Amino acid sequence: METEVDKEILKSSGAELLPDGRRGLRIHGWEIETLRGTILTSLAVEEWESKLQTSHLPEMVFGENALVLKHLGSNTKIHFNAFDALAGWKQEGLPPVEVPAAAQWKFRSKPSQQVILDYDYTFTTPYCGSEVIEKDKEAVERKANTKGEGSLQWENCEDQIDLAALSLKEPILFYDEVVLYEDELADNGVSLLTVKVRVMPSSWFLLLRFWLRVDGVLMRLRETRMHYVFGKDETPTVLRENCWREATFQSLSAKGYPVDLAVYSDPSSISQRLPVIKQTTQKLKIPRKV
């Protein structure tokens, strides 16, 4: 949920709330906003399935939900939405996670239906955000991809997000969390994609998290963190850290960890138990003017 902040604190921090009931604020040349809507209608589901060339979507897709961070001086926009995330899922095309035969029947939509799990029903996505430069109402967009094609490119770097600075006590000017999609895997676990944002007087920070738990089989955590410090560099630079973790229930049990599902309901509490599969750090240099 978004937070309420004293107007004097906002003013002294150089921030102002967005007008017309919008969720978010403007601060030091950035406009940060969260958008919320309902789940996709049946008509919208058909449209998305056609565009994504699939007959499968998560149970709950919040197609209007988004987090948007716009650098006003350059019209650079970093944003997070369900459609691009599912496009990443479709492109990656992971093999389906095997579930016990006794649990497969739960995936039927009709009692007589034959269950064929021939797609990644977990909706695991490599998505780590979308970037766009808006100019004269036209957009030149770089979709998230491994080649980094387009006008905006993330560069590999050795820099690290300053966690010590983030732990300092300072006012939270804006905080919100947005759900992009969710699926309970036919009561076999959970697949959940969310994005959180926190804005302080010194910086903004966000966490995009994909959390998967296939009960008794697998846990998968893919996280993207971004951090921007106001006025730190002559060239505005966003740092991004991606960390993918994964483990089977069997491997955790072999290490002596409990296998009680209640223990694994919160990814924050067990993330360190999951081995790192992939980790990268990148930076995005934002042009001052288009």
Side-chain angles (χ1 to χ4, degrees):
M1 294 295 292
E2 59 182 313
T3 57
E4 294 186 5
V5 183
D6 186 277
K7 291 183 179 180
E8 290 300 319
I9 296 178
L10 283 169
K11 185 177 180 180
S12 64
S13 302
E16 60 178 349
L17 296 177
L18 296 180
D20 304 321
R22 295 160 62 194
R23 295 186 182 90
L25 49 68
R26 294 190 184 100
I27 181 170
H28 299 310
W30 285 86
E31 183 175 278
I32 300 170
E33 181 177 14
T34 54
L35 306 172
R36 283 203 183 89
T38 59
I39 62 174
L40 293 183
T41 64
S42 57
L43 178 59
V45 167
E46 292 180 3
E47 292 176 350
W48 280 42
E49 288 179 342
S50 176
K51 291 178 180 178
L52 293 168
Q53 299 183 342
T54 182
S55 57
H56 307 284
L57 287 179
E59 291 174 327
M60 293 180 287
V61 179
F62 297 89
E64 298 175 358
N65 286 11
L67 167 63
V68 181
L69 305 98
K70 185 174 181 179
H71 184 257
L72 301 175
S74 65
N75 286 332
T76 298
K77 183 170 72 173
I78 301 171
H79 59 112
F80 302 84
N81 63 85
F83 185 87
D84 288 352
L86 288 169
W89 157 75
K90 187 65 166 56
Q91 182 177 10
E92 187 175 25
L94 293 178
V97 177
E98 293 188 11
V99 295
Q104 290 188 13
W105 65 271
K106 296 182 181 180
F107 285 87
R108 297 179 300 178
S109 58
K110 298 179 181 179
S112 60
Q113 182 183 33
Q114 182 181 4
V115 179
I116 302 177
L117 297 178
D118 58 354
Y119 67 100
D120 177 21
Y121 64 86
T122 70
F123 301 102
T124 297
T125 178
Y127 182 66
C128 52
S130 308
E131 297 80 41
V132 58
I133 293 180
E134 295 180 330
K135 185 177 181 180
D136 298 329
K137 298 183 179 180
E138 296 181 357
V140 180
E141 184 165 5
R142 183 196 69 79
K143 300 288 186 182
N145 59 61
T146 56
K147 295 181 180 179
E149 298 173 347
S151 57
L152 290 172
Q153 295 189 16
W154 292 90
E155 305 172 7
N156 292 330
C157 66
E158 300 297 327
D159 301 343
Q160 299 292 322
I161 291 177
D162 191 346
L163 298 179
L166 286 172
S167 65
L168 295 176
K169 291 185 178 180
E170 60 176 331
I172 296 178
L173 306 179
F174 179 69
Y175 171 85
D176 206 358
E177 178 176 9
V178 177
V179 178
L180 299 182
Y181 62 74
E182 183 174 4
D183 195 296
E184 294 183 351
L185 308 181
D187 293 327
N188 280 299
V190 64
S191 170
L192 177 65
L193 182 65
T194 63
V195 60
K196 303 177 184 180
V197 64
R198 174 163 51 112
V199 184
M200 293 76 65
S202 65
S203 65
W204 59 254
F205 174 77
L206 68 83
L207 170 62
L208 174 73
R209 170 179 282 166
F210 172 79
W211 165 238
L212 170 70
R213 189 190 73 241
V214 182
D215 293 343
V217 181
L218 176 74
M219 280 177 288
R220 180 179 289 154
L221 184 62
R222 293 185 172 185
E223 295 180 320
T224 295
R225 291 172 171 83
M226 291 189 191
H227 188 217
Y228 178 85
V229 180
F230 300 125
K232 182 179 179 180
D233 299 316
E234 184 174 339
T235 301
T237 303
V238 179
L239 277 181
R240 179 173 75 181
E241 292 183 0
N242 297 317
C243 185
W244 295 4
R245 296 175 180 269
E246 186 171 316
T248 63
F249 274 72
Q250 183 178 9
S251 66
L252 292 174
S253 177
K255 293 179 181 179
Y257 293 125
V259 293
D260 184 357
L261 292 180
V263 177
Y264 300 117
S265 60
D266 180 10
S268 297
S269 63
I270 55 91
S271 62
Q272 297 304 313
R273 299 181 184 180
L274 307 180
V276 173
I277 304 300
K278 178 182 178 181
Q279 189 166 10
T280 60
T281 304
Q282 297 172 305
K283 62 183 178 182
L284 176 66
K285 293 181 179 179
I286 298 176
R288 288 194 173 274
K289 294 182 181 181
V290 178

